[in-house]
Amino acid sequence: MTSGLARGTDYFLMKEQLTESESEIIAKVRAFGEAEVLPVVNDYWERGEFPFGLVPKLAALNIVGDYNLRDCGCTPMSAVAAGLVIYELSRIDGSIATFFAVHLGLAMQSINLLGSQEQRQCYLPAMARLEKIGAFALTEPEHGSDAVILAATAERQGDEWVLNGRKRWPGNAVWCDYIVVYARDTADNQVKAFVVEKENPGYTATKIGGKMSLRMVQNADITLTDCRVSDDARLQNCNSFKDVGKVLAGTRNSVAWASAGHAVVAYDIALNYALRRKQFGRPIARTQIIQSMLVEMLGDLTAMQLYAIRMARLIDEGKVEETMAALAKYYCTVKGRNVCRLARDVLGGNGILLDFHVMRHLCDMEALVTYEGTAEIQSLIVGRHITGQSAFA
C-alpha cells in the first residue's frame, strides 16, 4: 500500500505499550490483510459484493475472541488485543472490519452477555469458527438514535414467541445464519432478545442498495411477519433495554479502534504520496500547506491511538465507564473522518480514485460516525455526565 518511506504512524511509540502477544496480533492480521484482502478489495467494494472466499481464511487466523469471551471455542484476548484486530482490519478495509465486528461484537456478544450457559454452548462454538455467521437487529426504519422506543413486538404464545415488525441496517443480515432480534414484549412492554435463524418462516431480509459507505457489507431491511421462534431462542438474560446497553457499550471500544485504523492508513498513504508527488519541480511535501495538513492528521491519529489503547487498558482493569466509551467513540470517529478528508485533499485529483484507497476509507468513515450511536448522541451522553443536565429531547 505504501513505499515504506512514511514515518510517524506510531509517533508516540504505542507499540512499546503492547505485550508480545498483542504485537503478534498486529503482525498476523496485517499480513492477512495485505496478502489476501488488499489485492481484491477495490473490485468487491466497487461492485458492492461481499468476498465470501475470505471468510475461511479469516477463520484460520484464530482471532475470534474478546476480553469477556474466552470460552466456547473463542480465543482469549485482552481488550487491547481485540481492539488491535479491528484496528488492523480497518487499516485494510472497513467492510471486512465491520463484518467481523458485527459478528463478534454484536451478535456473539449479545448471546454471550444475555444468553444462558446452554444458549452460549449452543450457538457460540460454531460462530467462533466462523462456520455460522451472526447479525444484530436493533435499529428500525423509524427508530435509530431513539432505539429505546422500539416498535417491533414479541408476543408469547405457549412455548413460542411471535415476532412482528421491521428492522433496518443490520450488517451481514442478507446471508447470516443467526440474527439477534430485539423486540418489545407485548405483556410487560420490556425489550427482549431472540435468536432468529435465516430459515425461520416470516423472516425476510432485503439487501439495501445504493450505499456509498461500507459497500461490501450486506446491510438489509428486515421484515418480521408472524415470525415464530421457540422460547429456547429467547436470550434468557435480556429483560429490558438496559440489558441491550451492555452490548452496545462494548461496541464503542471497537468503533474507536476502527476509526484509528482508517486514520492511520489514510495518513500513511498521504505522506508517502506527498514525498513522491512533484509539482513545480519539487515534492509537494516541501510546501507549507501540505506539511500543515500532515501535522494536523498526525496529531489527530496519534490522539486516537492513545484514546483507544488507554480505554482498552481501562476495560482490562475493570475501570471503564459508559461515558468514557461514548467520548472515545465521539472523538475518534469525528477525527478519523477529518484525517481521511485531509488525506483525500493531499492527493488532489488522485484522491477520488480507488487505486489510491483513501476515498474508500473516507466513505467508510462516514458510516462509523453514524452507527453504534451517532457522534451527536455520544456528545449528549457525555454532556449529561459532565453537567448533570440532560439535553436529550
Side-chain angles (χ1 to χ4, degrees):
M1 181 177 296
T2 64
S3 68
L5 295 173
R7 21 175 94 84
T9 55
D10 188 15
Y11 210 75
F12 274 29
L13 308 180
M14 181 182 77
K15 287 185 179 178
E16 292 188 2
Q17 303 296 313
L18 304 181
T19 65
E20 182 178 353
S21 63
E22 290 164 352
S23 296
E24 290 171 355
I25 286 287
I26 289 180
K28 179 166 62 174
V29 179
R30 184 171 299 184
F32 162 78
E34 293 184 349
E36 302 290 347
V37 183
L38 196 59
V40 302
V41 66
N42 284 343
D43 182 51
Y44 279 99
W45 192 92
E46 191 167 23
R47 290 188 282 121
E49 298 176 1
F50 189 82
F52 294 104
L54 292 177
V55 175
K57 297 176 181 180
L58 188 60
L61 296 179
N62 197 29
I63 54 173
V64 180
D66 209 340
Y67 57 94
N68 63 356
L69 189 47
R70 297 168 171 266
D71 58 0
C72 298
C74 296
T75 301
M77 291 189 190
S78 67
V80 174
L84 288 168
V85 170
I86 299 299
Y87 176 79
E88 285 299 325
L89 289 176
S90 299
R91 276 186 70 255
I92 300 298
D93 180 68
S95 292
I96 296 297
T98 298
F99 153 74
F100 189 83
V102 168
H103 173 74
L104 171 63
L106 289 172
M108 290 184 69
Q109 288 289 14
S110 289
I111 296 168
N112 180 52
L113 296 173
L114 306 179
S116 66
Q117 184 59 27
E118 291 76 17
Q119 290 172 321
R120 295 174 73 254
Q121 291 293 338
C122 174
Y123 297 111
L124 294 180
M127 297 177 79
R129 297 189 297 269
L130 293 181
E131 294 172 0
K132 298 289 187 180
I133 303 303
F136 173 95
L138 177 65
T139 299
E140 298 178 350
E142 303 301 327
H143 300 292
S145 294
D146 63 347
V148 66
I149 295 175
L150 283 196
T153 61
E155 182 181 357
R156 180 74 179 264
Q157 293 184 3
D159 293 332
E160 291 184 320
W161 292 82
V162 180
L163 308 180
N164 282 285
R166 295 183 299 155
K167 298 290 180 180
R168 185 166 173 81
W169 292 117
N172 306 343
V174 175
W175 56 282
C176 68
D177 299 285
Y178 306 131
I179 183 165
V180 179
V181 174
Y182 291 88
R184 191 170 300 282
D185 187 346
T186 57
D188 62 9
N189 208 36
Q190 296 298 318
V191 173
K192 307 291 170 63
F194 305 85
V195 179
V196 178
E197 300 189 31
K198 62 183 178 182
E199 297 88 0
N200 268 76
Y203 168 81
T204 60
T206 304
K207 179 181 175 180
I208 297 175
K211 292 191 305 165
M212 297 307 295
S213 190
L214 300 175
R215 287 178 51 78
M216 286 158 43
V217 176
Q218 305 297 289
N219 299 89
D221 280 315
I222 304 298
T223 301
L224 300 158
T225 306
D226 293 332
C227 180
R228 291 180 175 272
V229 297
S230 70
D231 190 52
D232 291 339
R234 181 180 68 83
L235 297 182
Q236 300 298 308
N237 297 316
C238 183
N239 297 299
S240 71
F241 193 83
K242 185 177 180 180
D243 294 321
V244 185
K246 298 174 185 177
V247 179
L248 297 178
T251 65
R252 288 165 188 155
N253 174 44
S254 66
V255 176
W257 280 105
S259 301
H262 285 289
V264 74
V265 71
Y267 168 79
D268 196 19
I269 294 169
L271 177 54
N272 276 285
Y273 183 88
L275 291 168
R276 296 193 309 268
R277 176 70 169 173
K278 291 184 178 180
Q279 293 288 284
F280 305 104
R282 63 179 183 176
I284 63 173
R286 202 184 297 175
T287 64
Q288 292 181 8
I289 190 168
I290 295 297
Q291 289 193 10
S292 177
M293 293 165 70
L294 290 169
V295 171
E296 181 178 348
M297 295 162 68
L298 176 61
D300 284 346
L301 77 87
T302 300
M304 293 163 64
Q305 290 171 330
L306 296 174
Y307 257 92
I309 195 167
R310 177 56 180 156
M311 187 174 68
R313 292 293 185 222
L314 288 171
I315 290 173
D316 284 331
E317 295 167 8
K319 297 178 181 177
V320 76
E321 297 180 6
E322 177 189 4
T323 53
M324 294 176 182
L327 181 60
K329 199 276 183 185
Y330 166 82
Y331 183 89
C332 291
T333 56
V334 171
K335 293 300 184 180
R337 178 170 59 180
N338 185 57
V339 170
C340 291
R341 180 185 61 80
L342 288 171
R344 178 262 173 276
D345 289 347
V346 169
L347 270 64
N350 287 328
I352 69 170
L353 297 175
L354 277 177
D355 286 348
F356 289 85
H357 299 285
V358 167
M359 195 66 184
R360 173 166 54 83
H361 286 281
L362 174 57
C363 288
D364 289 351
M365 272 306 310
E366 292 293 342
L368 270 66
V369 172
T370 302
Y371 72 28
E372 312 307 330
T374 65
E376 292 77 13
I377 290 296
Q378 305 307 321
S379 70
L380 291 175
I381 291 171
V382 178
R384 180 176 59 191
H385 182 252
I386 62 177
T387 65
Q389 303 295 318
S390 177
F392 283 88

